[in-house]
Amino acid sequence: MLSQNDTGLIIVDIQGKLAEIVHQSESVIANATVLAKGANCLGLPIVWLEQNPSRLGATTASLSDALGDYQPIPKMTFDGCGADAFNEAIEKAGVK
């Protein structure tokens, strides 16, 4: 069972033109935006990743706006765990 004390949200690579052309992209972006708004309302930590943003573009604007004061963690590896900043953010958040 999820508990507010040990639950957070991770947003991964919903960015650039690619986010707009994946299957059912409007639903994916809308659902991720709802999740981000809900996490913010509940005070849950959010960790937000962007894959090579200088080449692939920034997170979709509507989602980025919903993420509030959180800042994206850029990564150059496909696996988020390859980015030290990601691992540090998860540890700092204290969630499972």
PDB file of all heavy atoms in Angstrom, residues 29-68:
ATOM      1  N   ILE A  29       0.707  12.896 -21.918  1.00  0.00           N
ATOM      2  CA  ILE A  29       1.054  14.205 -21.361  1.00  0.00           C
ATOM      3  C   ILE A  29      -0.007  14.658 -20.365  1.00  0.00           C
ATOM      4  O   ILE A  29       0.318  15.152 -19.276  1.00  0.00           O
ATOM      5  CB  ILE A  29       1.254  15.235 -22.492  1.00  0.00           C
ATOM      6  CG1 ILE A  29       2.494  14.847 -23.313  1.00  0.00           C
ATOM      7  CG2 ILE A  29       1.392  16.646 -21.929  1.00  0.00           C
ATOM      8  CD1 ILE A  29       2.623  15.583 -24.631  1.00  0.00           C
ATOM      9  N   ALA A  30      -1.277  14.488 -20.706  1.00  0.00           N
ATOM     10  CA  ALA A  30      -2.356  14.899 -19.796  1.00  0.00           C
ATOM     11  C   ALA A  30      -2.312  14.113 -18.487  1.00  0.00           C
ATOM     12  O   ALA A  30      -2.459  14.686 -17.400  1.00  0.00           O
ATOM     13  CB  ALA A  30      -3.715  14.732 -20.476  1.00  0.00           C
ATOM     14  N   ASN A  31      -2.105  12.808 -18.572  1.00  0.00           N
ATOM     15  CA  ASN A  31      -2.049  11.975 -17.361  1.00  0.00           C
ATOM     16  C   ASN A  31      -0.830  12.316 -16.506  1.00  0.00           C
ATOM     17  O   ASN A  31      -0.933  12.380 -15.271  1.00  0.00           O
ATOM     18  CB  ASN A  31      -2.047  10.496 -17.730  1.00  0.00           C
ATOM     19  CG  ASN A  31      -3.392  10.031 -18.247  1.00  0.00           C
ATOM     20  OD1 ASN A  31      -4.421  10.612 -17.941  1.00  0.00           O
ATOM     21  ND2 ASN A  31      -3.379   8.996 -19.052  1.00  0.00           N
ATOM     22  N   ALA A  32       0.319  12.546 -17.128  1.00  0.00           N
ATOM     23  CA  ALA A  32       1.519  12.923 -16.379  1.00  0.00           C
ATOM     24  C   ALA A  32       1.312  14.273 -15.698  1.00  0.00           C
ATOM     25  O   ALA A  32       1.758  14.482 -14.560  1.00  0.00           O
ATOM     26  CB  ALA A  32       2.733  12.962 -17.299  1.00  0.00           C
ATOM     27  N   THR A  33       0.614  15.170 -16.365  1.00  0.00           N
ATOM     28  CA  THR A  33       0.325  16.494 -15.794  1.00  0.00           C
ATOM     29  C   THR A  33      -0.580  16.366 -14.580  1.00  0.00           C
ATOM     30  O   THR A  33      -0.351  17.007 -13.547  1.00  0.00           O
ATOM     31  CB  THR A  33      -0.290  17.418 -16.870  1.00  0.00           C
ATOM     32  OG1 THR A  33       0.643  17.539 -17.953  1.00  0.00           O
ATOM     33  CG2 THR A  33      -0.602  18.785 -16.318  1.00  0.00           C
ATOM     34  N   VAL A  34      -1.596  15.524 -14.669  1.00  0.00           N
ATOM     35  CA  VAL A  34      -2.491  15.282 -13.528  1.00  0.00           C
ATOM     36  C   VAL A  34      -1.711  14.681 -12.360  1.00  0.00           C
ATOM     37  O   VAL A  34      -1.885  15.082 -11.208  1.00  0.00           O
ATOM     38  CB  VAL A  34      -3.676  14.373 -13.935  1.00  0.00           C
ATOM     39  CG1 VAL A  34      -4.434  13.869 -12.723  1.00  0.00           C
ATOM     40  CG2 VAL A  34      -4.609  15.122 -14.873  1.00  0.00           C
ATOM     41  N   LEU A  35      -0.832  13.724 -12.650  1.00  0.00           N
ATOM     42  CA  LEU A  35      -0.011  13.126 -11.600  1.00  0.00           C
ATOM     43  C   LEU A  35       0.878  14.171 -10.928  1.00  0.00           C
ATOM     44  O   LEU A  35       1.014  14.186  -9.698  1.00  0.00           O
ATOM     45  CB  LEU A  35       0.850  12.002 -12.164  1.00  0.00           C
ATOM     46  CG  LEU A  35       0.132  10.704 -12.490  1.00  0.00           C
ATOM     47  CD1 LEU A  35       1.057   9.778 -13.279  1.00  0.00           C
ATOM     48  CD2 LEU A  35      -0.358  10.028 -11.222  1.00  0.00           C
ATOM     49  N   ALA A  36       1.494  15.043 -11.720  1.00  0.00           N
ATOM     50  CA  ALA A  36       2.360  16.089 -11.164  1.00  0.00           C
ATOM     51  C   ALA A  36       1.573  17.046 -10.282  1.00  0.00           C
ATOM     52  O   ALA A  36       2.008  17.408  -9.179  1.00  0.00           O
ATOM     53  CB  ALA A  36       3.062  16.845 -12.293  1.00  0.00           C
ATOM     54  N   LYS A  37       0.399  17.455 -10.747  1.00  0.00           N
ATOM     55  CA  LYS A  37      -0.442  18.358  -9.944  1.00  0.00           C
ATOM     56  C   LYS A  37      -0.874  17.683  -8.645  1.00  0.00           C
ATOM     57  O   LYS A  37      -0.874  18.299  -7.581  1.00  0.00           O
ATOM     58  CB  LYS A  37      -1.666  18.804 -10.751  1.00  0.00           C
ATOM     59  CG  LYS A  37      -1.332  19.773 -11.860  1.00  0.00           C
ATOM     60  CD  LYS A  37      -2.566  20.156 -12.650  1.00  0.00           C
ATOM     61  CE  LYS A  37      -2.241  21.134 -13.756  1.00  0.00           C
ATOM     62  NZ  LYS A  37      -3.436  21.489 -14.555  1.00  0.00           N
ATOM     63  N   GLY A  38      -1.230  16.416  -8.731  1.00  0.00           N
ATOM     64  CA  GLY A  38      -1.637  15.672  -7.541  1.00  0.00           C
ATOM     65  C   GLY A  38      -0.493  15.530  -6.552  1.00  0.00           C
ATOM     66  O   GLY A  38      -0.671  15.712  -5.343  1.00  0.00           O
ATOM     67  N   ALA A  39       0.694  15.206  -7.048  1.00  0.00           N
ATOM     68  CA  ALA A  39       1.863  15.077  -6.173  1.00  0.00           C
ATOM     69  C   ALA A  39       2.168  16.399  -5.483  1.00  0.00           C
ATOM     70  O   ALA A  39       2.476  16.428  -4.288  1.00  0.00           O
ATOM     71  CB  ALA A  39       3.069  14.591  -6.971  1.00  0.00           C
ATOM     72  N   ASN A  40       2.062  17.492  -6.224  1.00  0.00           N
ATOM     73  CA  ASN A  40       2.278  18.810  -5.629  1.00  0.00           C
ATOM     74  C   ASN A  40       1.254  19.096  -4.533  1.00  0.00           C
ATOM     75  O   ASN A  40       1.605  19.587  -3.460  1.00  0.00           O
ATOM     76  CB  ASN A  40       2.247  19.912  -6.688  1.00  0.00           C
ATOM     77  CG  ASN A  40       3.590  20.131  -7.335  1.00  0.00           C
ATOM     78  OD1 ASN A  40       4.615  20.091  -6.671  1.00  0.00           O
ATOM     79  ND2 ASN A  40       3.595  20.355  -8.635  1.00  0.00           N
ATOM     80  N   CYS A  41      -0.008  18.794  -4.799  1.00  0.00           N
ATOM     81  CA  CYS A  41      -1.071  19.031  -3.807  1.00  0.00           C
ATOM     82  C   CYS A  41      -0.850  18.216  -2.537  1.00  0.00           C
ATOM     83  O   CYS A  41      -1.144  18.684  -1.434  1.00  0.00           O
ATOM     84  CB  CYS A  41      -2.441  18.698  -4.392  1.00  0.00           C
ATOM     85  SG  CYS A  41      -3.047  19.917  -5.561  1.00  0.00           S
ATOM     86  N   LEU A  42      -0.335  17.007  -2.693  1.00  0.00           N
ATOM     87  CA  LEU A  42      -0.098  16.126  -1.549  1.00  0.00           C
ATOM     88  C   LEU A  42       1.256  16.369  -0.876  1.00  0.00           C
ATOM     89  O   LEU A  42       1.562  15.752   0.134  1.00  0.00           O
ATOM     90  CB  LEU A  42      -0.188  14.665  -1.990  1.00  0.00           C
ATOM     91  CG  LEU A  42      -1.570  14.191  -2.429  1.00  0.00           C
ATOM     92  CD1 LEU A  42      -1.479  12.797  -3.035  1.00  0.00           C
ATOM     93  CD2 LEU A  42      -2.537  14.212  -1.255  1.00  0.00           C
ATOM     94  N   GLY A  43       2.055  17.248  -1.470  1.00  0.00           N
ATOM     95  CA  GLY A  43       3.371  17.524  -0.913  1.00  0.00           C
ATOM     96  C   GLY A  43       4.361  16.392  -1.110  1.00  0.00           C
ATOM     97  O   GLY A  43       5.316  16.252  -0.343  1.00  0.00           O
ATOM     98  N   LEU A  44       4.144  15.572  -2.133  1.00  0.00           N
ATOM     99  CA  LEU A  44       5.055  14.466  -2.425  1.00  0.00           C
ATOM    100  C   LEU A  44       6.269  14.986  -3.180  1.00  0.00           C
ATOM    101  O   LEU A  44       6.153  15.895  -4.003  1.00  0.00           O
ATOM    102  CB  LEU A  44       4.357  13.400  -3.278  1.00  0.00           C
ATOM    103  CG  LEU A  44       3.102  12.756  -2.703  1.00  0.00           C
ATOM    104  CD1 LEU A  44       2.522  11.768  -3.702  1.00  0.00           C
ATOM    105  CD2 LEU A  44       3.391  12.092  -1.379  1.00  0.00           C
ATOM    106  N   PRO A  45       7.429  14.401  -2.929  1.00  0.00           N
ATOM    107  CA  PRO A  45       8.607  14.808  -3.693  1.00  0.00           C
ATOM    108  C   PRO A  45       8.495  14.344  -5.147  1.00  0.00           C
ATOM    109  O   PRO A  45       7.925  13.294  -5.429  1.00  0.00           O
ATOM    110  CB  PRO A  45       9.760  14.111  -2.981  1.00  0.00           C
ATOM    111  CG  PRO A  45       9.148  12.962  -2.264  1.00  0.00           C
ATOM    112  CD  PRO A  45       7.740  13.365  -1.939  1.00  0.00           C
ATOM    113  N   ILE A  46       9.036  15.165  -6.028  1.00  0.00           N
ATOM    114  CA  ILE A  46       9.039  14.849  -7.452  1.00  0.00           C
ATOM    115  C   ILE A  46      10.482  14.884  -7.939  1.00  0.00           C
ATOM    116  O   ILE A  46      11.219  15.827  -7.651  1.00  0.00           O
ATOM    117  CB  ILE A  46       8.188  15.851  -8.258  1.00  0.00           C
ATOM    118  CG1 ILE A  46       6.732  15.815  -7.800  1.00  0.00           C
ATOM    119  CG2 ILE A  46       8.301  15.561  -9.757  1.00  0.00           C
ATOM    120  CD1 ILE A  46       5.860  16.895  -8.411  1.00  0.00           C
ATOM    121  N   VAL A  47      10.865  13.854  -8.665  1.00  0.00           N
ATOM    122  CA  VAL A  47      12.162  13.823  -9.329  1.00  0.00           C
ATOM    123  C   VAL A  47      11.865  13.779 -10.823  1.00  0.00           C
ATOM    124  O   VAL A  47      11.102  12.945 -11.289  1.00  0.00           O
ATOM    125  CB  VAL A  47      13.001  12.605  -8.883  1.00  0.00           C
ATOM    126  CG1 VAL A  47      14.315  12.557  -9.641  1.00  0.00           C
ATOM    127  CG2 VAL A  47      13.250  12.656  -7.380  1.00  0.00           C
ATOM    128  N   TRP A  48      12.484  14.696 -11.539  1.00  0.00           N
ATOM    129  CA  TRP A  48      12.127  14.937 -12.934  1.00  0.00           C
ATOM    130  C   TRP A  48      13.386  14.817 -13.791  1.00  0.00           C
ATOM    131  O   TRP A  48      14.361  15.526 -13.573  1.00  0.00           O
ATOM    132  CB  TRP A  48      11.501  16.301 -12.975  1.00  0.00           C
ATOM    133  CG  TRP A  48      11.318  17.037 -14.245  1.00  0.00           C
ATOM    134  CD1 TRP A  48      11.297  16.536 -15.507  1.00  0.00           C
ATOM    135  CD2 TRP A  48      11.086  18.436 -14.350  1.00  0.00           C
ATOM    136  NE1 TRP A  48      11.066  17.556 -16.403  1.00  0.00           N
ATOM    137  CE2 TRP A  48      10.931  18.726 -15.716  1.00  0.00           C
ATOM    138  CE3 TRP A  48      10.984  19.466 -13.443  1.00  0.00           C
ATOM    139  CZ2 TRP A  48      10.690  20.005 -16.189  1.00  0.00           C
ATOM    140  CZ3 TRP A  48      10.741  20.739 -13.917  1.00  0.00           C
ATOM    141  CH2 TRP A  48      10.586  21.005 -15.264  1.00  0.00           C
ATOM    142  N   LEU A  49      13.356  13.900 -14.752  1.00  0.00           N
ATOM    143  CA  LEU A  49      14.507  13.642 -15.614  1.00  0.00           C
ATOM    144  C   LEU A  49      14.256  14.104 -17.046  1.00  0.00           C
ATOM    145  O   LEU A  49      13.135  14.015 -17.557  1.00  0.00           O
ATOM    146  CB  LEU A  49      14.812  12.139 -15.658  1.00  0.00           C
ATOM    147  CG  LEU A  49      15.273  11.491 -14.361  1.00  0.00           C
ATOM    148  CD1 LEU A  49      15.289   9.981 -14.511  1.00  0.00           C
ATOM    149  CD2 LEU A  49      16.637  12.007 -13.972  1.00  0.00           C
ATOM    150  N   GLU A  50      15.324  14.587 -17.672  1.00  0.00           N
ATOM    151  CA  GLU A  50      15.297  14.919 -19.093  1.00  0.00           C
ATOM    152  C   GLU A  50      16.505  14.269 -19.759  1.00  0.00           C
ATOM    153  O   GLU A  50      17.635  14.415 -19.297  1.00  0.00           O
ATOM    154  CB  GLU A  50      15.371  16.430 -19.323  1.00  0.00           C
ATOM    155  CG  GLU A  50      14.120  17.169 -18.975  1.00  0.00           C
ATOM    156  CD  GLU A  50      14.199  18.650 -19.273  1.00  0.00           C
ATOM    157  OE1 GLU A  50      15.311  19.219 -19.345  1.00  0.00           O
ATOM    158  OE2 GLU A  50      13.126  19.249 -19.424  1.00  0.00           O
ATOM    159  N   GLN A  51      16.251  13.552 -20.834  1.00  0.00           N
ATOM    160  CA  GLN A  51      17.319  12.912 -21.610  1.00  0.00           C
ATOM    161  C   GLN A  51      17.925  13.941 -22.560  1.00  0.00           C
ATOM    162  O   GLN A  51      17.224  14.481 -23.417  1.00  0.00           O
ATOM    163  CB  GLN A  51      16.753  11.734 -22.410  1.00  0.00           C
ATOM    164  CG  GLN A  51      17.710  11.099 -23.391  1.00  0.00           C
ATOM    165  CD  GLN A  51      18.794  10.298 -22.711  1.00  0.00           C
ATOM    166  OE1 GLN A  51      18.574   9.720 -21.660  1.00  0.00           O
ATOM    167  NE2 GLN A  51      19.966  10.263 -23.309  1.00  0.00           N
ATOM    168  N   ASN A  52      19.200  14.229 -22.389  1.00  0.00           N
ATOM    169  CA  ASN A  52      19.956  15.110 -23.288  1.00  0.00           C
ATOM    170  C   ASN A  52      19.104  16.281 -23.797  1.00  0.00           C
ATOM    171  O   ASN A  52      18.835  16.404 -24.993  1.00  0.00           O
ATOM    172  CB  ASN A  52      20.484  14.286 -24.461  1.00  0.00           C
ATOM    173  CG  ASN A  52      21.544  15.005 -25.257  1.00  0.00           C
ATOM    174  OD1 ASN A  52      21.919  16.126 -24.957  1.00  0.00           O
ATOM    175  ND2 ASN A  52      22.026  14.355 -26.300  1.00  0.00           N
ATOM    176  N   PRO A  53      18.660  17.157 -22.896  1.00  0.00           N
ATOM    177  CA  PRO A  53      17.726  18.214 -23.279  1.00  0.00           C
ATOM    178  C   PRO A  53      18.249  19.178 -24.341  1.00  0.00           C
ATOM    179  O   PRO A  53      17.452  19.746 -25.097  1.00  0.00           O
ATOM    180  CB  PRO A  53      17.445  18.944 -21.965  1.00  0.00           C
ATOM    181  CG  PRO A  53      18.554  18.572 -21.059  1.00  0.00           C
ATOM    182  CD  PRO A  53      19.020  17.219 -21.489  1.00  0.00           C
ATOM    183  N   SER A  54      19.556  19.343 -24.447  1.00  0.00           N
ATOM    184  CA  SER A  54      20.093  20.249 -25.462  1.00  0.00           C
ATOM    185  C   SER A  54      19.845  19.730 -26.879  1.00  0.00           C
ATOM    186  O   SER A  54      19.754  20.515 -27.815  1.00  0.00           O
ATOM    187  CB  SER A  54      21.587  20.491 -25.241  1.00  0.00           C
ATOM    188  OG  SER A  54      22.317  19.296 -25.395  1.00  0.00           O
ATOM    189  N   ARG A  55      19.685  18.429 -27.020  1.00  0.00           N
ATOM    190  CA  ARG A  55      19.440  17.848 -28.346  1.00  0.00           C
ATOM    191  C   ARG A  55      17.983  17.427 -28.539  1.00  0.00           C
ATOM    192  O   ARG A  55      17.457  17.489 -29.648  1.00  0.00           O
ATOM    193  CB  ARG A  55      20.345  16.655 -28.579  1.00  0.00           C
ATOM    194  CG  ARG A  55      21.806  17.065 -28.503  1.00  0.00           C
ATOM    195  CD  ARG A  55      22.702  16.040 -29.074  1.00  0.00           C
ATOM    196  NE  ARG A  55      23.286  16.673 -30.257  1.00  0.00           N
ATOM    197  CZ  ARG A  55      23.604  16.040 -31.355  1.00  0.00           C
ATOM    198  NH1 ARG A  55      23.406  14.763 -31.444  1.00  0.00           N
ATOM    199  NH2 ARG A  55      24.133  16.669 -32.363  1.00  0.00           N
ATOM    200  N   LEU A  56      17.336  16.975 -27.457  1.00  0.00           N
ATOM    201  CA  LEU A  56      15.973  16.448 -27.595  1.00  0.00           C
ATOM    202  C   LEU A  56      14.893  17.460 -27.215  1.00  0.00           C
ATOM    203  O   LEU A  56      13.721  17.213 -27.446  1.00  0.00           O
ATOM    204  CB  LEU A  56      15.823  15.187 -26.733  1.00  0.00           C
ATOM    205  CG  LEU A  56      16.735  14.026 -27.112  1.00  0.00           C
ATOM    206  CD1 LEU A  56      16.533  12.860 -26.152  1.00  0.00           C
ATOM    207  CD2 LEU A  56      16.489  13.597 -28.545  1.00  0.00           C
ATOM    208  N   GLY A  57      15.285  18.563 -26.605  1.00  0.00           N
ATOM    209  CA  GLY A  57      14.319  19.580 -26.223  1.00  0.00           C
ATOM    210  C   GLY A  57      13.902  19.445 -24.768  1.00  0.00           C
ATOM    211  O   GLY A  57      14.223  18.468 -24.092  1.00  0.00           O
ATOM    212  N   ALA A  58      13.201  20.447 -24.310  1.00  0.00           N
ATOM    213  CA  ALA A  58      12.757  20.511 -22.922  1.00  0.00           C
ATOM    214  C   ALA A  58      11.481  19.709 -22.721  1.00  0.00           C
ATOM    215  O   ALA A  58      10.806  19.319 -23.677  1.00  0.00           O
ATOM    216  CB  ALA A  58      12.513  21.970 -22.531  1.00  0.00           C
ATOM    217  N   THR A  59      11.143  19.496 -21.470  1.00  0.00           N
ATOM    218  CA  THR A  59       9.886  18.838 -21.107  1.00  0.00           C
ATOM    219  C   THR A  59       8.721  19.634 -21.675  1.00  0.00           C
ATOM    220  O   THR A  59       8.747  20.865 -21.714  1.00  0.00           O
ATOM    221  CB  THR A  59       9.778  18.731 -19.571  1.00  0.00           C
ATOM    222  OG1 THR A  59      10.842  17.898 -19.104  1.00  0.00           O
ATOM    223  CG2 THR A  59       8.453  18.152 -19.129  1.00  0.00           C
ATOM    224  N   THR A  60       7.694  18.934 -22.098  1.00  0.00           N
ATOM    225  CA  THR A  60       6.497  19.550 -22.650  1.00  0.00           C
ATOM    226  C   THR A  60       5.994  20.648 -21.711  1.00  0.00           C
ATOM    227  O   THR A  60       5.949  20.452 -20.493  1.00  0.00           O
ATOM    228  CB  THR A  60       5.410  18.472 -22.843  1.00  0.00           C
ATOM    229  OG1 THR A  60       5.957  17.436 -23.673  1.00  0.00           O
ATOM    230  CG2 THR A  60       4.170  19.025 -23.475  1.00  0.00           C
ATOM    231  N   ALA A  61       5.642  21.794 -22.266  1.00  0.00           N
ATOM    232  CA  ALA A  61       5.319  22.984 -21.479  1.00  0.00           C
ATOM    233  C   ALA A  61       4.227  22.764 -20.437  1.00  0.00           C
ATOM    234  O   ALA A  61       4.367  23.190 -19.286  1.00  0.00           O
ATOM    235  CB  ALA A  61       4.934  24.137 -22.408  1.00  0.00           C
ATOM    236  N   SER A  62       3.144  22.099 -20.807  1.00  0.00           N
ATOM    237  CA  SER A  62       2.043  21.915 -19.847  1.00  0.00           C
ATOM    238  C   SER A  62       2.496  21.082 -18.654  1.00  0.00           C
ATOM    239  O   SER A  62       2.129  21.361 -17.503  1.00  0.00           O
ATOM    240  CB  SER A  62       0.832  21.269 -20.519  1.00  0.00           C
ATOM    241  OG  SER A  62       1.173  19.996 -21.045  1.00  0.00           O
ATOM    242  N   LEU A  63       3.316  20.078 -18.899  1.00  0.00           N
ATOM    243  CA  LEU A  63       3.831  19.249 -17.815  1.00  0.00           C
ATOM    244  C   LEU A  63       4.856  20.028 -16.995  1.00  0.00           C
ATOM    245  O   LEU A  63       4.828  20.005 -15.769  1.00  0.00           O
ATOM    246  CB  LEU A  63       4.445  17.966 -18.367  1.00  0.00           C
ATOM    247  CG  LEU A  63       5.098  17.031 -17.359  1.00  0.00           C
ATOM    248  CD1 LEU A  63       4.135  16.665 -16.226  1.00  0.00           C
ATOM    249  CD2 LEU A  63       5.621  15.786 -18.051  1.00  0.00           C
ATOM    250  N   SER A  64       5.730  20.718 -17.666  1.00  0.00           N
ATOM    251  CA  SER A  64       6.746  21.520 -16.980  1.00  0.00           C
ATOM    252  C   SER A  64       6.094  22.531 -16.039  1.00  0.00           C
ATOM    253  O   SER A  64       6.532  22.711 -14.899  1.00  0.00           O
ATOM    254  CB  SER A  64       7.618  22.237 -18.013  1.00  0.00           C
ATOM    255  OG  SER A  64       8.591  23.027 -17.396  1.00  0.00           O
ATOM    256  N   ASP A  65       5.046  23.165 -16.493  1.00  0.00           N
ATOM    257  CA  ASP A  65       4.316  24.130 -15.652  1.00  0.00           C
ATOM    258  C   ASP A  65       3.735  23.458 -14.415  1.00  0.00           C
ATOM    259  O   ASP A  65       3.748  24.021 -13.324  1.00  0.00           O
ATOM    260  CB  ASP A  65       3.191  24.800 -16.448  1.00  0.00           C
ATOM    261  CG  ASP A  65       3.704  25.739 -17.532  1.00  0.00           C
ATOM    262  OD1 ASP A  65       4.909  26.090 -17.513  1.00  0.00           O
ATOM    263  OD2 ASP A  65       2.904  26.097 -18.421  1.00  0.00           O
ATOM    264  N   ALA A  66       3.235  22.248 -14.577  1.00  0.00           N
ATOM    265  CA  ALA A  66       2.617  21.522 -13.459  1.00  0.00           C
ATOM    266  C   ALA A  66       3.646  21.047 -12.440  1.00  0.00           C
ATOM    267  O   ALA A  66       3.293  20.766 -11.298  1.00  0.00           O
ATOM    268  CB  ALA A  66       1.828  20.320 -13.988  1.00  0.00           C
ATOM    269  N   LEU A  67       4.908  20.987 -12.830  1.00  0.00           N
ATOM    270  CA  LEU A  67       5.955  20.523 -11.927  1.00  0.00           C
ATOM    271  C   LEU A  67       6.416  21.612 -10.962  1.00  0.00           C
ATOM    272  O   LEU A  67       7.228  21.354 -10.079  1.00  0.00           O
ATOM    273  CB  LEU A  67       7.128  19.956 -12.729  1.00  0.00           C
ATOM    274  CG  LEU A  67       6.780  18.639 -13.431  1.00  0.00           C
ATOM    275  CD1 LEU A  67       7.813  18.302 -14.491  1.00  0.00           C
ATOM    276  CD2 LEU A  67       6.641  17.517 -12.426  1.00  0.00           C
ATOM    277  N   GLY A  68       5.895  22.798 -11.123  1.00  0.00           N
ATOM    278  CA  GLY A  68       6.142  23.875 -10.167  1.00  0.00           C
ATOM    279  C   GLY A  68       7.602  24.234 -10.015  1.00  0.00           C
ATOM    280  O   GLY A  68       8.299  24.462 -10.991  1.00  0.00           O
TER     281      GLY A  68
END
